[in-house]
Amino acid sequence: MVRVDFLKTFLTVAKTGSFKKAAKELGISVSSVSFQINAVEEFYGATLLKRGVDGVKLTDEGKIALKNIESVLSSLEEAKKLIANIGGGKIVIASGMVGINVVFNIQTLLKAKYPEVDVRVELRGAHECVRGVMRGDYDFAIVGDILEEHLNSDRLYVEEIGMDKLVLIVPPNHPLADKEIVMLRDVMEYPVISLTDYYGITTSLKKALKSSGVSFDDLNVAYVVEDLFSQINSVSNGLGVAITSYIAVCKACEIGLIKIRDIKDLESERKIFFVSTKLSMESKRIREYADFITRNARTLFATFYEQCLHEVR
């Protein structure tokens, strides 16, 4: 077997591309770094790093080992955090933008049910939420889209908890605001405000456009913004239109900042997921929290989706 700190040294060398830089970052000697790397290579039975005058680079075998080591260390860190929190003293829920009008209600319900537990919520892009769960930063995530690599991960527990739909949002006085039927070709005539690729909304949009026979590049993307609030404000101020999550923007519609329209020829429905790790779900206490969250999330999301069906023409 090989020591965990030796594996961490390998990651540091791979990241810095230098034994000397790795030694400085780790606070050990270069000879110690060399010894530990040799031990890791002996364990894997292959040369993992190609040494040269300009530093070190991963060999093909090293690239495979790197992915394995990252997974091993991530699993160890996840287990460490799970054990530290085995008493259930704190829960951290990460939510993509689809959960912005639901996750704080869930937080309130959890605090009422388990007053001894510190329940925290963090809003992130969907893909960062899932990565955070895998790193052990978050116990649970609520997201509106999930990458195939995460959906098929043998480490993740993924459960469908609701439905959302992609809708067009426009300023209240926009020509499309009162148009009876809106088509994708209508949207292409106007500047589009897009979210970055960190967001599940963008992933869902690209999938929906492809299913509808349109490329994301066909849209006239004028601005790419970093968060949902910037997207709503940009649209409200007349900078363009946007295709986004109904559940995420329904409150903005209710107070008159924007108007919401269906796009007739867009495959608009998308699923909402609850994500944790399979290891975490083996804990009876964590499983209890998860069941409570998913049960209430289904009810809350169903309510919002019903509003979607009634309010969006």
Side-chain angles (χ1 to χ4, degrees):
M1 295 298 292
V2 65
R3 286 169 45 173
V4 171
D5 56 332
F6 287 14
L7 297 179
K8 292 180 178 178
T9 297
F10 178 82
L11 285 188
T12 306
V13 172
K15 180 183 71 175
T16 61
S18 164
F19 279 34
K20 186 176 181 180
K21 290 179 181 177
K24 183 177 181 180
E25 183 171 323
L26 294 168
I28 59 178
S29 67
V30 174
S31 60
S32 293
V33 170
S34 180
F35 174 81
Q36 292 179 27
I37 294 301
N38 288 337
V40 173
E41 289 183 321
E42 183 177 344
F43 173 76
Y44 280 98
T47 300
L48 306 180
L49 296 170
K50 182 179 180 181
R51 285 80 163 168
V53 293
D54 56 345
V56 296
K57 295 181 179 179
L58 290 167
T59 63
D60 289 341
E61 295 86 351
K63 292 175 182 177
I64 295 172
L66 178 64
K67 289 184 178 180
N68 173 249
I69 290 169
E70 287 176 333
S71 178
V72 168
L73 292 178
S74 179
S75 295
L76 289 172
E77 188 63 26
E78 176 192 345
K80 180 181 176 182
K81 290 181 179 179
L82 181 61
I83 291 169
N85 197 37
I86 199 70
K90 183 176 74 172
I91 299 173
V92 183
I93 307 171
S95 176
M97 294 301 102
V98 72
I100 194 169
N101 293 311
V102 169
V103 70
F104 294 106
N105 291 338
I106 292 173
Q107 181 186 34
T108 300
L109 292 170
L110 273 168
K111 286 183 174 181
K113 176 73 172 177
Y114 305 101
E116 74 282 3
V117 178
D118 178 17
V119 183
R120 301 181 186 181
V121 169
E122 293 196 21
L123 297 177
R124 295 285 186 271
H127 306 321
E128 177 55 28
C129 288
V130 177
R131 293 187 185 103
V133 168
M134 296 185 75
R135 289 194 303 267
D137 297 338
Y138 313 127
D139 298 292
F140 312 114
I142 295 172
V143 296
D145 206 302
I146 186 167
L147 298 173
E148 285 297 319
E149 64 187 86
H150 294 151
L151 191 60
N152 298 324
S153 171
D154 57 4
R155 290 183 54 207
L156 289 177
Y157 173 88
V158 180
E159 181 178 343
E160 184 182 331
I161 56 173
M163 294 296 297
D164 185 23
K165 66 189 301 183
L166 295 170
V167 293
L168 178 71
I169 60 172
V170 300
N173 59 351
H174 194 275
L176 296 181
D178 296 313
K179 187 175 174 63
E180 188 65 27
I181 297 176
V182 177
M183 307 292 287
L184 280 169
R185 64 174 178 269
D186 298 318
V187 179
M188 293 177 191
E189 295 179 6
Y190 298 95
V192 172
I193 314 296
S194 174
L195 290 168
T196 68
D197 287 338
Y198 293 112
Y199 289 89
I201 293 171
T202 305
T203 303
S204 294
L205 175 57
K206 290 180 177 180
K207 291 178 183 177
L209 289 170
K210 185 176 181 180
S211 296
S212 302
V214 177
S215 168
F216 182 80
D217 294 333
D218 293 332
L219 298 179
N220 179 22
V221 177
Y223 304 97
V224 178
V225 295
E226 294 292 331
D227 57 70
L228 178 72
F229 309 105
S230 297
Q231 187 181 49
I232 292 172
N233 287 334
S234 296
V235 171
S236 179
N237 289 323
L239 297 180
V241 302
I243 303 174
T244 192
S245 157
Y246 173 75
I247 290 178
V249 300
C250 62
K251 295 295 185 182
C253 178
E254 287 178 10
I255 62 176
L257 287 177
I258 55 171
K259 278 199 171 182
I260 294 175
R261 310 297 298 140
D262 263 333
I263 303 175
K264 186 175 178 61
D265 55 343
L266 180 69
E267 296 286 339
S268 62
E269 287 194 346
R270 69 184 196 131
K271 297 177 180 178
I272 303 169
F273 298 99
F274 168 86
V275 182
S276 188
T277 62
K278 291 178 180 177
L279 180 61
S280 294
M281 296 295 280
E282 291 179 8
S283 163
K284 183 178 179 181
R285 189 69 164 168
I286 294 296
R287 182 76 204 205
E288 182 181 340
Y289 297 149
D291 289 343
F292 183 87
I293 291 169
T294 54
R295 184 169 62 252
N296 284 281
R298 284 193 186 91
T299 300
L300 291 166
F301 278 123
T303 300
F304 273 97
Y305 194 66
E306 281 301 312
Q307 291 177 359
C308 173
L309 295 177
H310 285 94
E311 294 180 17
V312 180
R313 291 182 296 173

